[in-house]
Amino acid sequence: MYRKGARVEREIKKLFEDNGFKVVRSAGSKGETDLYISNKVISLGIQVKARKTVGLYSLLGSADALVIKADRQEPLIVMPLKTFLEVVNGKCSSVRTF
């Protein structure tokens, strides 16, 4: 299981780097954050999880993003990484006009 997680972390790290982010991977730390990413716009700690199945995909459907909120918890936004990178880089092509 550890190898799968490390492999996915490296894949995600490369995606961020390919999109102009500086990325530090805190491998094997079992801490709060797996990746620290930054560019001219943002600086974030990213936790990466790799699972065989994740129910959020069906909830997202064909939407650009999903907001989820558990009782007494802060709302979270979930979106495809590609969409996030487009938004941050000002190249969001999935914006729709209504």
Side-chain angles (χ1 to χ4, degrees), residues 14-74:
K14 183 173 179 351
L15 281 171
F16 279 113
E17 289 171 336
D18 290 349
N19 281 275
F21 284 85
K22 178 181 176 187
V23 183
V24 175
R25 181 172 170 254
S26 55
S29 67
K30 295 183 174 67
E32 295 179 11
T33 302
D34 295 319
L35 304 174
Y36 294 94
I37 66 165
S38 62
N39 68 6
K40 294 177 185 176
V41 179
I42 63 172
S43 180
L44 296 172
I46 304 286
Q47 185 69 20
V48 179
K49 295 294 181 197
R51 302 285 188 262
K52 185 175 182 177
T53 60
V54 179
L56 294 176
Y57 287 94
S58 61
L59 295 173
L60 178 64
S62 62
D64 297 316
L66 166 69
V67 174
I68 58 173
K69 184 183 180 310
D71 290 349
R72 294 179 290 285
Q73 297 294 319
E74 186 175 348

